[in-house]
Amino acid sequence: MNRRESGPDGRGGGEGRPRRSVTRAAFLLVSLVMVLTVSGCTSGIDGLNAVTDRGRDNLWLMNLSFILSFIVMAIVFGVLLYSIVTFRNRLPSEREGFVKLEIFWTVTPALLLVVLFVLAVRTMNSIEAEHGADEDVVTIKAIGNQWWWAFEYPELGITTANELHIPTDRPVRIELESTDVIHSFWVPQLGWKLDMIPGRTNVMNFTVDTAGTYDGACTEFCGAQHAWMRLKVVASPNADFTAWSAREAADATSPSSLIARDGESTFMLESCAACHTVKGTAAQGKVGPDLTHFGSRETIGAGVLENTPENLEAWLRDPQAYKPGIVMPGFDRLSDEQIRALVEYLEGLK
Ligand code: CUA
């Protein structure tokens, strides 16, 4: 027991003190406001507006934990402030064992933990539940690669990359795998995240009820370009999804112009075809993303660049300048005509 005696003059004296504590309070207040404002900045990734039932269940649990924690914090800080103010200049009279109070502060947190534990287990079970066998489920295999996503729709004969198209109001089952290291599939508006582990399949089941485009990212550090392993989920009504999947399952459109045809031969003769697949052509490489419908994608390099002809040209010349460490080499040795023809060909793959 270490009790500090208070001298007759107290410890709270000094003329400058009140002003200094006002300055400090103001500083704290400003910092708090700044933290709250800055943390409200939007990054395009939205964690507070789930578009699935399961996601909303999860969010509800998070909000409940937040509210309970806030109440506990308010009580603790209230008692603390009360004590500071009341006993600013005198010590409280010592009292042995206040049994009721001790029971209160032992039982309350224990009860809160039990309640949150039971609710957490219940939410985990409902999130992990499989869809019914009679439901019209869309199954998609999502494969993590350093540093991009492959999406395969085995029943529809589709392989695409970095943009996941799904129907709304129809159950979706995503089987998560990885070809190299551990990645984590996270699209906050779907409601939760799940790791992609080599040699293992993790399953995520959900039904999206709101059409829209939802941003996601890898959230398990997976190497130098982890931060540029982004994805987009495009959820559209089932009719639109069916139209999309019919287009996507088809072979690549043949080049429509002479220059695009030149681009196609460059693609096949250079190493491009060894790494990328373009369905309906000799290009059957499996190292990089399937490019059969590359022209219809919004981004290049899993989100690092917007998909425009100018950006694609820069990317083909030196992808390492945008995503250092990726497998794809630069093609600066090709002539300007060859690069432009490649761009024309690739952007034409709608
Ligand atoms: Cu993949 Cu981080």
Side-chain angles (χ1 to χ4, degrees):
M1 294 284 264
N2 194 358
R3 247 183 89 192
R4 203 193 279 144
E5 293 291 336
S6 161
D9 57 334
R11 294 175 53 85
E15 297 267 356
R17 194 145 275 208
R19 193 170 303 157
R20 209 186 303 153
S21 59
V22 166
T23 319
R24 199 176 302 165
F27 172 75
L28 282 175
L29 190 69
V30 169
S31 314
L32 184 70
V33 168
M34 270 169 68
V35 166
L36 290 177
T37 329
V38 172
S39 59
C41 287
T42 49
S43 63
I45 286 197
D46 179 351
L48 298 173
N49 288 294
V51 293
T52 65
D53 270 357
R54 296 178 184 203
R56 279 188 287 267
D57 281 355
N58 210 7
L59 215 52
W60 178 84
L61 184 60
M62 193 191 82
N63 287 336
L64 180 77
S65 328
F66 179 75
I67 290 167
L68 290 176
S69 312
F70 187 82
I71 293 172
V72 170
M73 189 187 80
I75 294 172
V76 170
F77 273 72
V79 172
L80 187 67
L81 274 178
Y82 168 80
S83 310
I84 290 172
V85 172
T86 314
F87 303 109
R88 191 169 163 77
N89 292 316
R90 63 184 171 91
L91 281 173
S93 54
E94 197 128 312
R95 190 127 55 116
E96 275 289 314
F98 198 152
V99 180
K100 272 185 194 156
L101 204 56
E102 282 177 9
I103 290 176
F104 171 76
W105 71 49
T106 309
V107 170
T108 313
L111 264 180
L112 282 179
L113 284 180
V114 169
V115 167
L116 284 176
F117 175 75
V118 170
L119 289 176
V121 170
R122 210 186 64 168
T123 310
M124 275 162 69
N125 285 338
S126 76
I127 279 176
E128 283 169 8
E130 289 287 343
H131 293 303
D134 55 329
E135 290 181 280
D136 185 18
V137 179
V138 185
T139 303
I140 300 155
K141 203 186 254 196
I143 303 156
N145 294 271
Q146 282 175 317
W147 293 276
W148 58 281
W149 315 82
F151 299 118
E152 297 176 7
Y153 301 63
E155 294 144 6
L156 300 169
I158 295 171
T159 302
T160 181
N162 304 328
E163 277 169 33
L164 176 63
H165 287 250
I166 51 171
T168 50
D169 301 316
R170 204 178 141 190
V172 172
R173 173 189 168 87
I174 304 194
E175 300 173 351
L176 302 160
E177 292 171 12
S178 167
T179 51
D180 36 46
V181 297
I182 300 178
H183 302 275
S184 186
F185 179 87
W186 186 50
V187 182
Q189 284 176 275
L190 297 180
W192 69 107
K193 60 169 93 165
L194 200 55
D195 279 359
M196 308 172 107
I197 300 166
R200 194 196 140 92
T201 304
N202 281 338
V203 178
M204 204 179 218
N205 287 298
F206 55 81
T207 305
V208 170
D209 50 29
T210 315
T213 302
Y214 309 113
D215 287 316
C218 176
T219 56
E220 183 73 47
F221 181 70
C222 55
Q225 293 303 321
H226 158 71
W228 280 116
M229 191 166 164
R230 303 289 181 89
L231 77 146
K232 274 182 195 301
V233 170
V234 181
S236 43
N238 197 38
D240 296 350
F241 172 76
T242 311
W244 172 85
S245 54
R247 278 198 306 277
E248 201 73 13
D251 283 349
T253 44
S254 3
S256 53
S257 65
L258 260 177
I259 178 163
R261 220 165 296 159
D262 279 351
E264 186 183 34
S265 24
T266 305
F267 190 89
M268 301 305 157
L269 293 172
E270 291 296 331
S271 46
C272 317
C275 290
H276 296 281
T277 293
V278 178
K279 239 187 326 184
T281 74
Q284 295 294 322
K286 300 281 180 222
V287 179
D290 184 303
L291 299 178
T292 310
H293 300 284
F294 170 79
S296 61
R297 288 189 203 140
E298 281 182 40
T299 69
I300 302 171
V304 76
L305 286 173
E306 201 189 328
N307 187 2
T308 64
E310 299 73 41
N311 285 344
L312 181 59
E313 186 174 333
W315 173 263
L316 290 174
R317 285 187 198 284
D318 190 9
Q320 301 291 331
Y322 301 95
K323 263 179 110 163
I326 60 166
V327 179
M328 181 165 158
F331 287 87
D332 218 13
R333 61 192 159 79
L334 300 181
S335 70
D336 285 357
E337 288 72 38
Q338 281 175 308
I339 291 273
R340 244 167 271 143
L342 266 178
V343 169
E344 184 86 4
Y345 169 61
L346 289 168
E347 294 293 7
L349 297 174
K350 295 285 183 185

